[in-house]
Amino acid sequence: MSYESNPKDLNHQDPHSEASNPQFDDSRIKDHPDKLLLSRIRKYFKAFTTGDFNGIRDLEAPEYNMTDIPLGVVRSAKNSWYEQNKGFTNLLYDLQVQAISLHGTSFPGAFAILEHVVWFKLKTDPPEAAKPNLPPGIKKDGKAGMINIAVLW
């Protein structure tokens, strides 16, 4: 996430924060002391679970690169990742995210690690190209989950 943070602002809500999102269960991390970090994570997952790809891209720094091992993506540049993420995520519906743990801070130069699970259902039977990245045998309306570790700085 590309916001500048000021250590004195850690207990204040980000002015760009989204209201509560029922598709993002943050009940396990809601008491994290860095409220600015929480606010930014909530905004990101609001955009992710609602398919707001422009909103996601707006949160990423210009030099952003993404590595997504399950999708076979390694160091994809910001604009390339935008298209890849949009293409794959458009196969999904009923996206829900459950945060498991959060460590770190939004201090400049620091990083945070978020462990979370992404649950989803498939809109259609998966195309052949997507099958290696999905649970074996999953079909249209099948539900699956992926455990993710995100490093944010």
Side-chain angles (χ1 to χ4, degrees):
M1 295 183 205
S2 64
Y3 293 106
E4 292 293 320
S5 54
N6 184 340
K8 70 181 182 193
D9 294 333
L10 293 182
N11 292 317
H12 294 87
Q13 185 95 350
D14 183 330
H16 303 287
S17 176
E18 296 292 327
S20 159
N21 175 7
Q23 295 164 289
F24 177 55
D25 176 2
D26 65 353
S27 61
R28 292 184 182 189
I29 65 168
K30 66 180 173 57
D31 295 324
H32 190 278
D34 189 334
K35 301 306 179 198
L36 182 60
L37 177 62
L38 279 173
S39 175
R40 292 174 178 165
I41 288 171
R42 287 176 179 135
K43 183 172 184 170
Y44 173 85
F45 282 109
K46 171 80 172 189
F48 175 74
T49 59
T50 60
D52 180 4
F53 301 104
N54 290 326
I56 291 171
R57 188 166 50 181
D58 289 346
L59 291 168
E60 298 166 347
E63 66 280 2
Y64 179 85
N65 283 288
M66 172 58 119
T67 295
D68 189 311
I69 301 304
L71 296 182
V73 173
V74 177
R75 296 197 49 79
S76 182
K78 180 178 180 173
N79 289 331
S80 295
W81 173 247
Y82 172 82
E83 294 300 329
Q84 292 163 323
N85 188 32
K86 195 169 149 180
F88 184 77
T89 306
N90 278 329
L91 296 172
L92 315 176
Y93 74 99
D94 195 20
L95 271 167
Q96 297 178 3
V97 178
Q98 180 180 22
I100 305 298
S101 66
L102 176 62
H103 303 280
T105 180
S106 62
F107 286 141
F111 65 93
I113 297 175
L114 174 67
E115 177 186 20
H116 59 286
V117 180
V118 177
W119 297 99
F120 59 88
K121 292 181 181 177
L122 292 180
K123 290 180 185 177
T124 64
D125 286 340
E128 286 301 316
K131 284 182 179 180
N133 306 315
L134 294 167
I138 193 166
K139 302 269 187 218
K140 178 182 177 181
D141 297 321
K143 186 170 185 173
M146 299 184 309
I147 297 172
N148 294 291
I149 302 291
V151 179
L152 314 163
W153 68 88

